[in-house]
Amino acid sequence: MKNVRLAFFLYFSYVSVGCIVSQLIPLINDVGYSAFEKSLILGSGALFSFLMSLWLGKMSDTQGRIKPSFYISTFLYIIFMLLFYFLNSMFFKAVALAGLIGVSRTLMSSCETIVLLAKPETFGKYQSMGALGLISGSLLSAQLMPIGKGSLCLFSTLASICLIYKWPEEQKEKKEIKMQDFLLLLKNKEYVGYLMIFFFLMLMGFADQYIVVDKMVKLKASAGMISLKYALQALMEIPVYLSIKKIFQKFSVSTLLIFCTLMSAIKFTLYGFVSVSYMIVAVSLLQIFTHPIIVVLSKKLIASCTPSHLIASSQIIGFAVYFGMSGFIASLLGQGLTTWFSFDIALYIFASLALFPFLIWYFMRKYGKVGVVMKNENISD
């Protein structure tokens, strides 16, 4: 990481996101929303993220710049945060929470895309600073009063703006993005196949944030224990991000994708099996084998099959589909499954979703829907 400013930009951005995301389920429960209202808030936030990402992706490629999408996401993040902490109406708090959920995802996507475009060779190392930010935000938020959480979010958000404001973003050629350009992406079977794979993997990832945390709440876990889960999971990601280049050089893409999918299934099976909070936290350490590799795989694979003039759109729209829509489905599906069955059965069902990425990847390779970069089986960091 040769550029310290870019590294700390990602760090402070993720501190802000970590403050809210790590305490999302406890925040919703503390306000007093019903199970149905909670699923509605989570689903609305994911849907808002999807729609906003479509707009920001188009705007970024049209202007040839990604930084404006970061500024817009940051501004909305601050607005929704202030609305949540300073309004008493349960309705407006619900709107603010849904907004925070949606904007936090577009904010993360914008930050990651800025770093990916600026430092593609060392993207993984910069992501380790993002993981440190999540750790800091998660642990600090559990110790602070509501006004303290809001102040920390505001400070870290403003710090990230100051750090990126004068960053010399490379100006790409401005191009009017038309509907046929988006259709070009949707007609790309390789691109769509990757979105489907990461949609199911992220669906399991959101169940880790929603259903697993709900199970911890049912088991009377404290806010500190829940924050510890998020912090330790982020900590597990750091060594992977720092060594991601060697990992991709040593193992083929197929091996990594299959391994991450298998470990995701094992993790959720264990989540359903254990019955005490500290064991759930212990199982969450398997994050080292799943999320960080999945994140880098998703960025690299999508970039490998995308036209150059749609590079920002493909990343942000892809993020909206496999991150935004998966969050929407996870919230509704999770609420339904935990209502009809026990938490444990719901987690076993989510573990079974790992079958879909296996099948999609198998048929993509069998029918030649894998591009030249992927046929070589190597992606350099």
Side-chain angles (χ1 to χ4, degrees), residues 142-380:
Q143 309 302 321
L144 296 172
M145 299 293 287
I147 189 66
K149 288 186 180 71
S151 299
L152 178 61
C153 282
L154 186 60
F155 168 78
S156 55
T157 301
L158 293 176
S160 65
I161 293 174
C162 293
L163 287 165
I164 203 63
Y165 180 68
K166 296 241 176 174
W167 175 261
E169 180 183 13
E170 181 181 350
Q171 177 74 48
K172 297 186 179 295
E173 179 184 358
K174 294 183 178 180
K175 180 179 177 64
E176 182 182 358
I177 306 298
K178 300 179 181 179
M179 182 56 67
Q180 61 236 40
D181 292 308
F182 290 113
L183 293 177
L184 181 66
L185 284 176
L186 297 178
K187 290 179 181 178
N188 185 333
K189 293 182 180 179
E190 186 181 358
Y191 178 76
V192 173
Y194 293 148
L195 293 192
M196 292 173 64
I197 288 172
F198 294 113
F199 169 82
F200 284 107
L201 290 174
M202 290 297 178
L203 192 63
M204 298 170 73
F206 277 108
D208 196 331
Q209 294 183 26
Y210 298 162
I211 300 178
V212 175
V213 174
D214 265 333
K215 181 175 178 178
M216 292 181 71
V217 171
K218 184 181 179 182
L219 294 172
K220 309 299 183 184
S222 65
M225 180 69 74
I226 293 172
S227 287
L228 181 64
K229 172 184 176 294
Y230 279 97
L232 289 176
Q233 284 183 300
L235 181 63
M236 291 297 100
E237 296 176 9
I238 293 176
V240 179
Y241 284 133
L242 291 176
S243 57
I244 198 72
K245 184 175 182 179
K246 293 181 180 179
I247 292 172
F248 274 83
Q249 288 174 342
K250 187 172 182 179
F251 301 100
S252 71
V253 169
S254 291
T255 299
L256 289 173
L257 190 59
I258 291 170
F259 177 72
C260 292
T261 305
L262 178 62
M263 292 308 298
S264 295
I266 292 173
K267 182 169 69 169
F268 272 83
T269 301
L270 292 174
Y271 276 146
F273 181 75
V274 299
S275 58
V276 289
S277 295
Y278 71 85
M279 287 302 296
I280 291 177
V281 173
V283 172
S284 72
L285 299 182
L286 291 176
Q287 184 91 345
I288 192 172
F289 301 120
T290 58
H291 186 72
I293 298 176
I294 291 169
V295 167
V296 179
L297 272 174
S298 67
K299 298 294 183 184
K300 297 291 188 179
L301 294 186
I302 288 175
S304 73
C305 65
T306 302
S308 59
H309 71 287
L310 293 175
I311 188 66
S313 292
S314 66
Q315 292 290 345
I316 296 179
I317 292 172
F319 191 89
V321 172
Y322 67 72
F323 204 81
M325 289 309 295
S326 62
F328 176 71
I329 300 298
S331 62
L332 298 181
L333 181 60
Q335 186 58 52
L337 291 175
T338 53
T339 300
W340 300 326
F341 309 105
S342 66
F343 279 101
D344 296 342
I345 296 298
L347 290 167
Y348 293 145
I349 292 173
F350 270 95
S352 69
L353 294 179
L355 178 64
F356 291 99
F358 279 123
L359 292 175
I360 295 168
W361 181 245
Y362 170 77
F363 285 111
M364 285 181 69
R365 291 180 63 83
K366 182 177 180 179
Y367 294 104
K369 301 306 179 184
V370 177
V372 174
V373 174
M374 294 306 302
K375 287 178 181 175
N376 294 332
E377 291 287 3
N378 288 312
I379 296 180
S380 61

Side-chain angles (χ1 to χ4, degrees), residues 97-121:
L97 277 169
L100 279 171
I101 294 168
V103 174
S104 66
R105 294 171 190 168
T106 58
L107 180 58
M108 292 172 67
S109 176
S110 298
C111 292
E112 289 177 359
T113 305
I114 287 174
V115 175
L116 180 67
L117 295 178
K119 302 289 181 180
E121 298 83 8

Side-chain angles (χ1 to χ4, degrees), residues 5-68:
R5 182 165 50 146
L6 193 62
F8 276 97
F9 155 71
L10 206 57
Y11 171 80
F12 282 111
S13 296
Y14 276 61
V15 168
S16 180
V17 171
C19 283
I20 299 298
V21 172
S22 65
Q23 291 296 308
L24 184 59
I25 299 300
L27 280 173
I28 294 175
N29 291 337
D30 289 345
V31 176
Y33 296 110
S34 66
F36 173 76
E37 290 169 335
K38 178 165 65 176
S39 65
L40 194 60
I41 291 170
L42 295 173
S44 298
L47 185 59
F48 178 65
S49 171
F50 174 74
L51 296 174
M52 188 173 174
S53 295
L54 293 178
W55 172 55
L56 291 178
K58 181 178 184 298
M59 183 188 73
S60 298
D61 278 323
T62 300
Q63 296 184 356
R65 302 174 65 228
I66 190 68
K67 281 168 64 174

